Amino acid sequence: MEPVIIVLIILVVLVFIALIKTIQVIPQASAAIVERFGRYTRTLNAGLNIVVPFIDTIRNRIDLREQVVPFPPQPVITQDNLVVNIDTVIYYQVTDARAATYEVASYIQAIEQLTVTTLRNIIGGMDLERTLTSREEINAALRGVLDEATGKWGIRVNRVELKAIEPPTSIQDSMEKQMRADRDKRAAILQAEGVRQSEILRAEGEKQSQILRAEGEAKAAALRAEGEAQAVRTVFEAIHAGDPDQKLLSYQYLQMLPKIAEGNANKLWIVPSEIGDALKGLSGAMGNFGGFGGGGGQGGGNGNSGATTERREKPSID
């Protein structure tokens, strides 16, 4: 009995193992390569799959999701003979599990080496300044080369990103100094423009104020002249309305003589010939200046004969 039991137990174990090898469950977004006697037979997709136990074997299970692989910094020489370290990140996806298994031994290593060589070719034709400012151009060129080369491997390169571009330390110091000088230059330019703008605004303000002041003075002079003209007109009208005689006019005439002589700069002033007539009329009115009036008569005679003027030098005031 015991040998029979042992054989049954062995058969049960073999059947259990055969069932395990027959039923293959493949997760979603994965694929499995099946070989029969070492030769590719088919590719198992996601779900429940049946294989022939002990004849079919699972060669490789491949993840079909998009993968992200960062590569270590690679030294690259630019066109101006400067060594820069570039970090790259590759986003790829396996589209053909059979090609990824049989066309290349290790597609990860192949992608890394292809990325390094392509990157060196691209950067070798650029100088440092263009390398630092042309990431999009480098990414596009690198992606095009990788996508074309990895297509036969059953891999599609979706994106290529440059994580960092590190120039030498001496170049970084020079770039920092240049950036600092550029910032100082822009600051000085902005400050100069601010001062210039403030000076322009101040000049425009002064100009406007002078214009307004001149307009105010002109208006004030016009109003003053108009007021004086109105005053003269009023006085003239008042005099004519009062019908003044010769005596009053002579008296007013004499009152204006001191104003004519005012001012220290007046060294010479003119006495009109009509002053004799005015004095004559005034002396006749007062009665006490007969002799002066006679002299005025002579002056009046002279005035009637030729309307001459007498020049008298004003005594200087010490």
Side-chain angles (χ1 to χ4, degrees):
M1 286 296 294
E2 292 182 358
V4 175
I5 295 174
I6 293 173
V7 171
L8 291 176
I9 292 174
I10 293 174
L11 290 175
V12 171
V13 172
L14 290 176
V15 170
F16 181 74
I17 294 174
L19 290 175
I20 292 176
K21 289 184 173 292
T22 301
I23 300 173
Q24 296 291 333
V25 179
I26 306 300
Q28 183 66 32
S30 297
I33 301 299
V34 178
E35 292 179 349
R36 180 171 293 177
F37 300 113
R39 185 177 181 180
Y40 171 78
T41 302
R42 60 193 174 111
T43 301
L44 301 181
N45 296 320
L48 183 64
N49 297 274
I50 304 298
V51 297
V52 179
F54 304 108
I55 297 177
D56 295 340
T57 57
I58 303 299
R59 165 69 186 272
N60 191 14
R61 295 177 183 267
I62 298 176
D63 193 346
L64 300 179
R65 295 174 296 179
E66 185 175 5
Q67 304 292 323
V68 181
V69 179
F71 296 143
Q74 300 294 330
V76 181
I77 301 176
T78 61
Q79 187 177 11
D80 46 358
N81 296 325
L82 293 175
V83 179
V84 295
N85 294 323
I86 300 180
D87 295 348
T88 55
V89 178
I90 304 296
Y91 296 80
Y92 72 94
Q93 186 177 10
V94 177
T95 58
D96 187 354
R98 177 183 174 279
T101 302
Y102 295 105
E103 296 295 335
V104 62
S106 175
Y107 55 83
I108 297 295
Q109 185 178 2
I111 292 174
E112 179 180 2
Q113 296 302 320
L114 183 60
T115 300
V116 172
T117 55
T118 305
L119 191 62
R120 287 177 178 173
N121 291 333
I122 296 173
I123 300 300
M126 299 180 177
D127 56 10
L128 179 61
E129 184 176 358
R130 185 181 175 189
T131 301
L132 295 175
T133 58
S134 303
R135 292 198 177 194
E136 293 296 332
E137 181 182 353
I138 298 172
N139 293 339
L142 190 59
R143 179 182 177 277
V145 174
L146 291 177
D147 196 17
E148 181 181 358
T150 58
K152 62 180 181 179
W153 300 339
I155 296 173
R156 181 178 68 247
V157 177
N158 296 326
R159 295 181 62 187
V160 179
E161 295 292 340
L162 301 182
K163 290 175 58 178
I165 301 176
E166 299 180 358
T169 306
S170 59
I171 300 300
Q172 292 182 6
D173 295 338
S174 300
M175 292 172 62
E176 290 179 358
K177 293 179 180 179
Q178 182 179 2
M179 292 177 61
R180 191 179 302 111
D182 291 338
R183 286 195 297 268
D184 295 340
K185 176 183 177 181
R186 288 195 298 268
I189 291 174
L190 291 176
Q191 184 177 1
E193 289 181 353
V195 173
R196 174 176 173 270
Q197 190 66 24
S198 64
E199 293 293 336
I200 291 174
L201 293 177
R202 185 180 299 109
E204 289 181 354
E206 293 178 355
K207 176 182 176 182
Q208 293 294 331
S209 64
Q210 291 178 0
I211 291 174
L212 294 176
R213 190 180 302 110
E215 290 178 353
E217 292 177 355
K219 290 181 180 179
L223 292 176
R224 192 181 305 111
E226 185 178 355
E228 293 177 355
Q230 185 65 29
V232 171
R233 192 180 302 111
T234 302
V235 173
F236 182 78
E237 292 177 356
I239 291 174
H240 282 274
D243 192 14
D245 56 0
Q246 183 66 27
K247 301 175 182 178
L248 179 59
L249 293 177
S250 300
Y251 179 72
Q252 293 293 331
Y253 197 25
L254 290 176
Q255 285 185 338
M256 291 301 297
L257 288 178
K259 293 184 178 181
I260 297 176
E262 287 181 355
N264 295 328
N266 295 331
K267 299 295 183 179
L268 180 67
W269 55 288
I270 300 171
V271 179
S273 60
E274 289 82 359
I275 191 64
D277 295 338
L279 293 176
K280 179 180 179 181
L282 184 60
S283 61
M286 298 179 63
N288 297 324
F289 299 91
F292 186 80
Q298 296 176 1
N302 295 333
N304 293 330
S305 61
T308 59
T309 58
E310 298 181 4
R311 293 176 177 266
R312 298 185 181 180
E313 185 176 357
K314 180 183 176 182
S316 60
I317 300 176
D318 295 335

